Amino acid sequence: MGPFRVVRPADMLVVDIALVNLRFDGGRLVRREPAAPTLIVVGLPPQHVMEEIPQNPDPAAGPLRSVKAFASEASQLVFSVPPEVDSLSLSLASLLDWERLVPMTVPVVQPGATPPTGLPGSVLEFPTRLLLTYDEPVTWVCPSEPRSPDGRTGLWHALLSSERGGEALLRALGRADGRASVPSRFPLSAADLEDLVILTSRAELIDTAGAPIVLPSAPLRAEQFIATPLGASAHLHGAWDKADPSVGPRLEAIGRHRPEVAAYDHITGLGRDQFVRVVIRGFLSTGHPALLVSEFKRRFVAHRDNGIVAYLRQEDRIVLREPEVSYGESTGFPHQAREMPFRALRVTDRVTPLLKPAWPPKPADRPEAQPEARQPFWVELESGGDHQFTLLGTDHEGRQVSFTTPLVFVPDSKAGDVDALESLYASAETKEKGRLDRPLGGQVMAMAQPPADAPGSTSHAVGRLSFAMGRKVAGGEHPLAGTLVVSGAEVRVPALEPFTPKAGEVPVVFNAVYRDHGMAAHPARAYLDLVDAIGLDFAAEKVGGLARPNAAVKVITSQAGVVPDVFEPDANGGVGAADITRIQKAFGAAKLLGFIDLSALVGPVLTQDLDRLRQLGDNEIQALLDAEGGTIPAPVLRVRDLADAQGRELRYVWKTKLVPPDPPPPGGTLLDVSDAVLTLDARTVVSKEAGEETSVEGRLRDIALEIAGVARVEIADLRFKAAPGNKPDVSASGLELKFLGELRFIDTLRSALPADAFGSGAFVDVQPSGIRTGYALAVPDVPLGVFALTNVCLKLELDIPFVPEKAISFRFSVSERQRPFNVTVTLFGGGGYFSMLVDAEKGIREAEGAIEFGGGAALNLGVASGGVTVMAGVRLEVRDGAVKVGGYLRCSGFLSVLGIVTVSVEFYLELTYEKHGNESVVRGRGTLTVSVKIAFFSKSVSLELERSFSGAPGDPTFVDCFDRETHWEDYCLSFDGDP
């Protein structure tokens, strides 16, 4: 019978009633068929209104704006008339007497499947678009007649309770789909409703293999559910255990996701929400399990224009479920957690402040569709900006450091979506906001697990850590598919600070071999690489001037210190020595003897040599320095604490065999290092009492220099030693100078010198600017009859500068311009000098010499006397590319008669050639002077003539000869013609 609608204005009752298997016999309602089910179906008005959350957190502060709302559809209550009830009165009071009736539920079915045909069941749409039914027997109690105890009639209502009394248990049948889409800013998203169905429906899900999927299940509890014509006044709540992470892929295979709702509370008054709490399981991007607690509260505030307004306000917070997460070899890191220098991270924020809501987005290609499930999001504060979580990290040595960082919240259903997580961390906005770079303020932490025999060797003062999101491998305690790793850092490397202007925090990354295979797989036990190789800037006076080993160091090791990058993966998956080109590149700024490119002299490093870097204690280093054939394949910078714990020692040590450059370097210097060995050992001790003290020992053996093809310097052993408070001690043995080419004749002069050329005339002068060594020897005067040789002095000087702007230079001289040697033979005499300066880079920089010769005669006859002299000379000067050659002839004579008349004549002729760059000039000058003196009268007359001639580069150019303003256009047009 029916359905028919009943409207009772007194208490606002509105219900639709349908009767099944009942007929009116004229007086009462009786069964049509005694054995068939007899039902009363009641339709209630919508019991819930879904309201949009205003975007303005305080709508009362601005203009009042409308919000969208969606009402649920009618709910259906189905009652069975028990057999003991023979008939019913055809009255509203009888039909509303539900206490004697049996409420009917809907059988458990597979979600999404069609319910079985047969008896209908009760379905409540609450909240909007969620369909509920009873999970256990219940009772409904409602007034059959309006009640007006105080003169006011109460609203009709029906109270739901358990058959035993107390809370009624409800389960969700499914979502009410197929309706108009709703905006995303609502308390319950479509994903939340789907989770409630999965968690409460008791439906058994079957995977693609036909096996059941076990999920946590528990009904919703209704502390209160009162149905009214204006909507339900209800209080529902539920809580569920966590689903097994292993069911995630099986659920995805059938088009579902792992439920993430952990708790749900809902309080309404007459269908309008007063309080809603949805708790979502998830993870922080560090792997910490966490809960996203979203609360929606109705607030009543006074609006400036519209009186009291009520709206829903959302308050989101994140609550930590597990404050500490451990990391290690079996926690899912792709490289056994070597890219995470923390054993554990503890988040001290148990509950965050109010957060900016992160709403589920709509599909970009289907704006009309329902909002999708929640996505990973950066945790941002409602007041603006990222929330800075405070983390305590425990490093590999048990040391704790603290820092703050923004983090991403990943809903449990998206824990396996590593692409979304990686895109968040790699986005331009993330980098722009500096979310990945976290300051540590110089806290000391171990960047890697140190070897057992070298505790503290991997610890650094860290200024900054850079994080990135990596993909997790199989395994791990938590199902988060991504894992936070350290992609880089800025650390202090004490071994670098005394040698480089880039002292302080330097950017580093994990060494690739360490990251992929562990520290033991690297020959030097490396664990960090400098992002940019740093060239050491040695003070030359501190390393002896023998070499400025300004190599570019890049690899930080646990025991060998900081070394150049001379390593390269080999074909067997291990690590071997890099090729010679790469090794030489690391020494691009290194100099030997101030000017020689040391990179060209560094020989190849053999793979077996690299093993020496694995364990370099003081005893091992000393043994290699003392051994005749021992070498240290790469420069080593290392820092160690002093035994008395009163300071630290920084040591730079290197011993290498030099190899001849191939091809030979261009220039005028040939370096012979066939048997050369370079040793450098510099120690700097820093202590509270003595401050900073540096001691240096250097040694260069068996080296020879051929300079400009004119001289060869052979050094058997050159040593340098500097100790605190003492003058640097430089010693050289087996130092020999040989002349080559056209200057071999000088060796003939040397044959008269003592065998030990570096006897009393030798000198060594050590200055902060360099080392000057050589000898000077004065040859005794040689009188042999009419022949005399005087003022002969031989001098040799070798200058080894410390500064790289200057090169080694060699000067040889026979006497000097200021003190030329003299030679006389009877009436003829003369003198001269020779000096040559050879630069190792530019060849002959200075060369000058001169020789002068002539003769003179005098005659006295008593009445008359006179004399005549003739002198001639040649001078050569080469200085920094400029050449000057000159010669002269001077003739003079005089005649005096009785001392009364004197006549003198002087003739001077000079011819010079000068070249400066590309210009050359020849100049000639002649002078004739005649003087006459008679008694007290004298007169002198001079005649001068000078001429100069320029070479070809001195001719006028085209530009000099062409009047561009007047004739340029005509000149150009003369070349213009028809093709």
Side-chain angles (χ1 to χ4, degrees):
M1 181 183 294
F4 54 89
R5 172 163 293 183
V6 178
V7 178
R8 190 166 63 192
D11 56 2
M12 302 181 67
L13 170 65
V14 177
V15 294
D16 295 327
I17 299 179
L19 304 178
V20 179
N21 195 31
L22 287 173
R23 63 181 179 82
F24 184 62
D25 64 356
R28 297 179 65 84
L29 292 172
V30 296
R31 288 181 172 84
R32 291 181 181 275
E33 298 181 11
T38 303
L39 306 175
I40 298 178
V41 181
V42 179
L44 297 178
Q47 295 298 301
H48 183 254
V49 177
M50 180 170 54
E51 296 180 38
E52 184 182 16
I53 310 299
Q55 294 188 16
N56 184 357
D58 191 3
L64 191 63
R65 297 180 181 179
S66 61
V67 296
K68 295 180 180 180
F70 294 81
S72 65
E73 292 188 353
S75 294
Q76 171 184 282
L77 305 182
V78 178
F79 298 94
S80 173
V81 180
E84 60 269 17
V85 178
D86 295 332
S87 63
L88 297 172
S89 171
L90 184 58
S91 64
L92 183 58
S94 176
L95 296 177
L96 293 180
D97 186 8
W98 296 341
E99 291 186 70
R100 58 177 178 164
L101 304 178
V102 179
M104 301 292 292
T105 187
V106 178
V108 175
V109 296
Q110 179 85 9
T114 302
T117 58
L119 296 178
S122 301
V123 177
L124 296 169
E125 185 174 341
F126 184 93
T128 302
R129 306 203 175 186
L130 182 67
L131 305 178
L132 301 178
T133 190
Y134 320 128
D135 192 58
E136 66 173 8
V138 297
T139 61
W140 284 94
V141 177
C142 63
S144 57
E145 299 292 341
R147 297 179 180 179
S148 305
D150 56 356
R152 292 180 295 181
T153 303
L155 182 68
W156 179 87
H157 58 276
L159 175 63
L160 175 67
S161 61
S162 171
E163 187 179 56
R164 301 184 306 273
E167 297 178 344
L169 303 183
L170 305 173
R171 55 185 169 86
L173 299 172
R175 295 184 304 172
D177 296 327
R179 303 182 190 175
S181 64
V182 299
S184 60
R185 301 179 65 86
F186 283 85
L188 292 171
S189 68
D192 297 336
L193 298 179
E194 181 180 351
D195 282 358
L196 292 177
V197 173
I198 293 175
L199 294 170
T200 66
S201 65
R202 298 191 185 279
E204 187 178 74
L205 298 180
I206 306 299
D207 64 13
T208 55
I213 302 175
V214 179
L215 292 171
S217 179
L220 287 171
R221 295 180 175 273
E223 291 186 13
Q224 173 183 287
F225 196 96
I226 302 175
T228 75
L230 301 180
S233 294
H235 182 186
L236 304 183
H237 64 86
W240 298 272
D241 295 332
K242 178 183 177 182
D244 192 316
S246 63
V247 304
R250 299 169 64 194
L251 288 170
E252 291 177 3
I254 61 174
R256 295 182 179 273
H257 66 266
R258 186 169 68 246
E260 61 192 16
V261 174
Y264 166 62
D265 285 271
H266 204 148
I267 299 176
T268 60
L270 299 181
R272 296 190 68 187
D273 293 331
Q274 306 301 316
F275 176 81
V276 181
R277 178 192 289 122
V278 181
V279 181
I280 301 298
R281 281 191 179 87
F283 301 88
L284 296 178
S285 48
T286 50
H288 291 78
L291 300 174
L292 172 61
V293 180
S294 297
E295 294 184 346
F296 305 86
K297 303 176 182 178
R298 187 168 299 280
R299 293 185 59 186
F300 294 82
V301 296
H303 192 271
R304 62 186 182 185
D305 299 322
N306 300 87
I308 302 298
V309 296
Y311 64 93
L312 288 176
R313 168 179 169 80
Q314 181 176 0
E315 296 179 354
D316 281 0
R317 294 177 177 85
I318 288 179
V319 179
L320 264 291
R321 292 174 53 207
E322 296 180 21
E324 183 168 303
V325 169
S326 298
Y327 304 114
E329 296 182 357
S330 302
T331 54
F333 283 85
H335 302 291
Q336 298 295 307
R338 284 185 289 271
E339 61 271 68
M340 173 56 80
F342 297 111
R343 285 180 176 175
L345 278 179
R346 171 177 287 272
V347 178
T348 62
D349 308 68
R350 302 305 297 269
V351 181
T352 67
L354 290 180
L355 304 178
K356 176 183 176 181
W359 297 98
K362 285 177 172 287
D365 56 339
R366 293 180 293 113
E368 75 285 353
Q370 295 293 104
E372 294 179 343
R374 288 180 176 85
Q375 300 294 321
F377 61 89
W378 285 102
V379 180
E380 298 181 84
L381 296 173
E382 183 183 60
S383 56
D386 295 320
H387 174 62
Q388 302 292 331
F389 288 88
T390 300
L391 274 67
L392 291 178
T394 303
D395 70 3
H396 292 282
E397 294 189 307
R399 188 186 297 109
Q400 281 195 336
V401 298
S402 65
F403 59 97
T404 61
T405 182
L407 295 175
V408 170
F409 179 81
V410 185
D412 196 62
S413 63
K414 294 295 180 179
D417 190 357
V418 69
D419 293 331
L421 196 54
E422 285 185 327
S423 65
L424 271 180
Y425 267 83
S427 68
E429 179 187 9
T430 295
K431 296 177 181 177
E432 181 181 348
K433 292 186 176 181
R435 288 167 166 161
L436 306 182
D437 297 331
R438 308 317 306 158
L440 261 70
Q443 298 178 81
V444 177
M445 60 173 288
M447 294 297 294
Q449 175 70 52
D453 56 346
S457 59
T458 62
S459 296
H460 297 267
V462 180
R464 175 183 61 85
L465 287 179
S466 295
F467 291 93
M469 183 53 60
R471 290 176 178 260
K472 226 174 188 180
V473 296
E477 181 181 355
H478 303 296
L480 193 61
T483 182
L484 203 62
V485 300
V486 173
S487 60
E490 287 184 358
V491 304
R492 294 181 68 94
V493 185
L496 289 175
E497 295 179 4
F499 300 105
T500 173
K502 295 182 179 180
E505 297 161 357
V506 293
V508 297
V509 295
F510 286 110
N511 179 269
V513 175
Y514 162 76
R515 185 193 60 215
D516 296 341
H517 305 291
M519 191 180 297
H522 196 280
R525 291 186 177 180
Y527 59 98
L528 290 178
D529 284 346
L530 298 171
V531 173
D532 299 311
I534 294 180
L536 303 180
D537 187 16
F538 281 89
E541 64 273 13
K542 286 190 176 182
V543 292
L546 305 180
R548 298 195 65 189
N550 295 345
V553 292
K554 188 177 179 69
V555 181
I556 303 175
T557 70
S558 61
Q559 288 176 285
V562 189
V563 298
D565 187 10
V566 295
F567 311 97
E568 193 171 70
D570 58 23
N572 300 323
V575 180
D579 58 50
I580 186 63
T581 304
R582 182 170 169 184
I583 295 173
Q584 290 176 343
K585 185 178 179 181
F587 291 86
K591 297 294 181 182
L592 181 69
L593 298 178
F595 74 98
I596 300 172
D597 186 2
L598 189 57
S599 65
L601 308 179
V602 177
V605 177
L606 302 179
T607 300
Q608 55 267 30
D609 294 336
L610 296 178
D611 290 333
R612 300 173 189 167
L613 298 175
R614 186 181 299 274
Q615 181 71 32
L616 279 181
D618 290 341
N619 295 334
E620 290 77 10
I621 290 176
Q622 194 59 48
L624 292 174
L625 294 178
D626 295 338
E628 185 69 22
T631 61
I632 300 175
V636 173
L637 280 173
R638 58 195 302 269
V639 176
R640 70 179 182 90
D641 293 323
L642 298 179
D644 55 3
Q646 296 299 313
R648 309 189 78 186
E649 180 192 68
L650 170 66
R651 189 175 188 183
Y652 175 92
V653 61
W654 186 29
K655 183 181 181 183
T656 183
K657 292 182 179 179
L658 304 181
V659 298
D662 184 23
T669 301
L670 178 62
L671 182 66
D672 185 358
V673 292
S674 303
D675 301 316
V677 177
L678 174 65
T679 303
L680 290 173
D681 188 1
R683 306 187 189 205
T684 299
V685 176
V686 180
S687 62
K688 295 180 180 179
E689 297 180 357
E692 180 177 319
E693 295 182 344
T694 300
S695 59
V696 179
E697 292 187 21
R699 187 178 184 185
L700 183 61
R701 292 185 298 162
D702 300 323
I703 190 170
L705 294 170
E706 290 187 9
I707 304 173
V710 298
R712 176 182 175 90
V713 180
E714 296 180 352
I715 306 174
D717 196 353
L718 184 60
R719 296 173 180 253
F720 178 94
K721 185 175 183 180
N726 297 324
K727 182 179 179 181
D729 179 18
V730 178
S731 61
S733 61
L735 185 60
E736 185 176 359
L737 174 65
K738 299 179 180 179
F739 291 97
L740 307 174
E742 290 78 1
L743 295 183
R744 287 184 181 273
F745 73 92
I746 301 178
D747 281 333
T748 304
L749 298 177
R750 294 184 57 199
S751 63
L753 301 177
D756 187 3
F758 285 78
S760 59
F763 64 89
V764 176
D765 183 20
V766 179
Q767 299 291 338
S769 59
I771 301 174
R772 189 171 62 91
T773 181
Y775 67 89
L777 181 64
V779 179
D781 294 345
V782 182
L784 295 173
V786 297
F787 173 83
L789 176 64
T790 60
N791 294 334
V792 178
C793 178
L794 299 181
K795 187 175 182 180
L796 178 147
E797 181 179 311
L798 182 66
D799 188 8
I800 304 175
F802 288 159
V803 292
E805 292 78 11
K806 295 183 180 181
I808 189 171
S809 61
F810 162 73
R811 178 185 292 273
F812 176 79
S813 63
V814 180
S815 299
E816 298 286 349
R817 181 194 301 179
Q818 298 81 359
R819 298 185 61 188
F821 62 84
N822 298 320
V823 179
T824 60
V825 181
T826 64
L827 299 178
F828 300 95
Y833 64 91
F834 174 79
S835 177
M836 179 178 64
L837 174 64
V838 180
D839 188 293
E841 289 184 344
K842 300 180 180 179
I844 298 177
R845 288 187 54 186
E846 296 179 11
E848 63 176 348
I851 188 167
E852 187 178 54
F853 57 89
L859 180 63
N860 190 344
L861 300 177
V863 178
S865 64
V868 63
T869 60
V870 178
M871 295 295 294
V874 178
R875 184 174 182 271
L876 168 67
E877 180 180 337
V878 178
R879 192 180 302 276
D880 295 329
V883 179
K884 185 176 181 181
V885 180
Y888 71 92
L889 174 64
R890 179 186 293 116
C891 300
S892 62
F894 73 93
L895 177 64
S896 177
V897 180
L898 297 176
I900 301 174
V901 178
T902 302
V903 178
S904 62
V905 178
E906 182 179 282
F907 174 74
Y908 179 79
L909 178 64
E910 180 184 72
L911 182 66
T912 60
Y913 169 81
E914 298 180 9
K915 184 176 181 180
H916 301 275
N918 293 325
E919 296 185 0
S920 57
V921 178
V922 176
R923 290 187 176 91
R925 185 166 64 93
T927 303
L928 177 62
T929 303
V930 179
S931 299
V932 179
K933 181 179 180 184
I934 302 175
F936 301 104
F937 171 79
S938 66
K939 181 67 175 178
S940 178
V941 178
S942 295
L943 299 177
E944 293 185 2
L945 179 64
E946 183 174 344
R947 290 290 186 268
S948 63
F949 306 92
S950 298
D955 294 337
T957 64
F958 175 82
V959 175
D960 297 329
C961 301
F962 200 86
D963 188 347
R964 289 176 290 179
E965 296 183 358
T966 307
H967 303 108
W968 177 250
E969 184 176 355
D970 295 338
Y971 176 80
C972 294
L973 290 175
S974 66
F975 291 93
D976 186 20
D978 296 332

